[in-house]
Amino acid sequence: MAGSSYVPQKVYIEEASLEYPSTRQIIERLEGVPTEIIQNPQKIIQRLHDSQDWVAEGKRHLLLARQQGSFVKPCPCTPHYIGCNYYIINLVFNCPLDCTYCILQDYLSHPLITIFVNLEDLWKELDIFLQKREGAYLRIGTGELGDSLAVDHLTEHSKALIFYFRGKDKAFLELKTKTVEINNILKLQPADNVVISWSLNSFRIAKEEEKGAPGIETRIMAAKRVSEKGFKLGFHFDPLIRYSGWEMDYAEVIKLLLKTVDPLKIAWISLGSLRFPPSLKPLIKQRFPHTQIIYDELIKGKDGKYRYFKPLRLELYQKIVSLIKGCGGEEIPLYFCMESEEIWRKALNWSPKGKEDVEELLSPWSNQRNS
Amino acid sequence: MKKENLSPDEIYLKDERFRISYYFSLQRLMDSLRKIGLINPPLVTVRNGRFILVTGWKRVLACLQLSFASIPVEVSGVDDDLQNFLIAVHENLATREFSLIEKAEIIGKLKTLGVKKNEVIRNYLPLLDIPANSSFYELYLSLAGFEPELKEVIHKKDIPLSVLQIFSELKPEAQKLVLPILLPLGQNKQKEILEDLLEISRRENIGVENILQNEEILSIQGLEKLSPLQKADNIRSFLRKRRYPSFSRWKESFDSSLKKMRWPKEIALKHTPFFEDEDMSVTFSFKNKKEYEENVEKLKQMASKKEFSKLFR
């Protein structure tokens, strides 16, 4: 879908989801796409199991369902590394893009792209959640178990979420994407507590390992448009991937980014290096037989996940940090995703004592930022 | 089904379309045949005017070795090859467990006999205690395609499926080169060697067989003073270094610093796996105050050496 919006081959609608307005709206926006009403998706999932590549097959099918558990959860982060006190809203599971390194290939119980339609329950849950946290600042986003905007042309979640969070000043909403589905956002007035974020990588990684995602230049241009509309921006260089020539390639992207987008409009940039659970490796080998990224010096970290040997990670981070700072991004808050205190200290000359310190760094109300 | 008596020579053994087992010893069966003769007649069928064997390979081969002039056989009237093959499978299944290579033979032959992949997965993999999915089907099929000598070694050395799963990713020429290296090792080290070989091959874009022709590997293999196990372990270390060059250099430098400092053997210094944490620990044991103080003194001496700070890069 690099240049076009996602359209599924078929839509499955759980019977219990039929009554929700969101279901009707999505179906209307998918006029001509076959639909089937089902009791539950187990049979469909079983059928997908028989396919050669069930992950790819799942992406071709959309499931409209009710979220029966909690929509809002703390970001699971990873054990033994420093988290950032982030919360996630699970409105969509899975993603039409097909990135080699994507954890969702292994993480989710089934590969159907699933949109939860009971938004009425989400608003109630969020009311209670925010009420309980009254007085505390919060960063929350939808881009963990799916791309925040990849199906926004069908769901218009961005509109609804920005409408909900506007004025709730202690909560900071982040919509994180690799796509350029920004039409809905461009129709809205910006809100001070909303950040639209893009995951970025080198041109080569984006081309070779982020199947279906728009190119880096296109993403940066979309970010520019959103920024010109008045929204704050975030960027995630994650996963940073080493290969012969990575330094020059990342420098190219960082230069382009900070030349195109005003650094003062950037709320934060996160850095994370390639990491994945051992169970994902055979799946990557099978689904992406030509990829080289899993054959670098990846060791098992304290959390049991594969990650680069520490000196290699440090080299990667120090270089990227110096590039960002050297290209006019000295004031942009930088943070690491799932890294150790040592990495923070050695790459940023500062280390948080825990996730609360990271949250403090990233809060728009932060003393650290304003000092 | 009718009974007949045949000379074992009359059975055309070159037609192996129903054969499942290849690698077995006939000794115990021959002892039994000598004492009590052939009690259970083998099953044959007729193709192109010749008797071919459906079940009873061991029995017929043993009778041939014992030069029996005539043996009783049952002649199957079933024309369909698949039906005959299933008779062979079920007869064996009722009395014993199939080895891994036998299961592979069965799956390979089911394919040859025209059984569709999905049907094999659904109906036959569970029968053979194999998880019913496509990847296991493909894996066993690739084992069935191994050369007979390779299958024999795998069968005799009882190489586990988890190792074969990786082994099957190698080309036949690489398989032949690597098998002798693997045999003296345990399962974990076998897997480690295979994974390292494949990953080096993919990263450096060279064939596994080329890696195995590396001068250092050849020289290790040529060292007569080393046992097969020592050779395999040395090759394993060589491959580890090539797979993880930065980590290996780091570890070597750490070990070399300890050596230069003459770190006392009675005090264990441990770093975290892959140096992922900065933390290190020392352990020593002592019986009394004097021993305790001696060890503490040794540690103080170590800390005063120039090399000590190199441990904390």
Side-chain angles (χ1 to χ4, degrees), chain B residues 24-90:
Chain B
F24 40 68
S25 160
L26 294 174
Q27 202 50 55
R28 284 175 69 180
L29 181 58
M30 282 164 61
D31 290 346
S32 154
L33 288 170
R34 260 190 222 106
K35 282 180 190 152
I36 57 169
L38 183 60
I39 296 168
N40 295 318
L43 180 66
V44 298
T45 188
V46 180
R47 293 286 182 275
N48 300 324
R50 287 198 272 220
F51 289 107
I52 64 167
L53 202 49
V54 179
T55 67
W57 286 87
K58 272 190 194 177
R59 281 165 280 169
V60 172
L61 290 170
C63 290
L64 269 169
Q65 287 217 14
L66 293 170
S67 305
F68 280 17
S70 166
I71 57 169
V73 296
E74 303 252 18
V75 183
S76 162
V78 177
D79 288 335
D80 181 48
D81 276 356
L82 178 61
Q83 287 308 312
N84 279 312
F85 182 63
L86 292 177
I87 291 170
V89 171
H90 283 282

Side-chain angles (χ1 to χ4, degrees), chain B residues 214-231:
Chain B
N214 173 283
E215 248 175 55
E216 195 163 337
I217 292 185
L218 294 176
S219 88
I220 294 169
Q221 284 175 318
L223 285 172
E224 283 179 12
K225 61 178 182 179
L226 297 183
S227 68
L229 177 61
Q230 287 170 319
K231 286 179 187 178

Side-chain angles (χ1 to χ4, degrees), chain B residues 180-215:
Chain B
I181 302 172
L182 297 182
L183 290 178
L185 296 170
Q187 182 179 339
N188 288 342
K189 288 183 179 177
Q190 288 177 337
K191 279 163 79 172
E192 188 185 294
I193 284 189
L194 289 169
E195 274 167 2
D196 283 355
L197 276 169
L198 280 164
E199 296 190 352
I200 293 166
S201 155
R202 280 169 193 158
R203 186 175 64 192
E204 298 179 12
N205 217 5
I206 53 169
V208 168
E209 58 284 7
N210 295 333
I211 302 170
L212 291 168
Q213 297 294 342
N214 173 283
E215 248 175 55

Side-chain angles (χ1 to χ4, degrees), chain A residues 65-119:
Chain A
R66 270 183 321 153
Q67 172 63 279
Q68 295 185 62
S70 295
F71 278 100
V72 182
K73 289 188 173 150
C75 183
C77 192
T78 199
H80 309 294
Y81 292 90
I82 295 176
C84 66
N85 223 13
Y86 197 75
Y87 282 84
I88 54 179
I89 302 172
N90 292 325
L91 263 174
V92 177
F93 278 173
N94 218 331
C95 172
L97 312 181
D98 200 6
C99 301
T100 309
Y101 50 76
C102 181
I103 178 68
L104 299 181
Q105 298 173 89
D106 181 54
Y107 188 78
L108 297 173
S109 58
H110 69 75
L112 292 165
I113 294 184
T114 306
I115 298 174
F116 296 112
V117 291
N118 48 332
L119 292 179

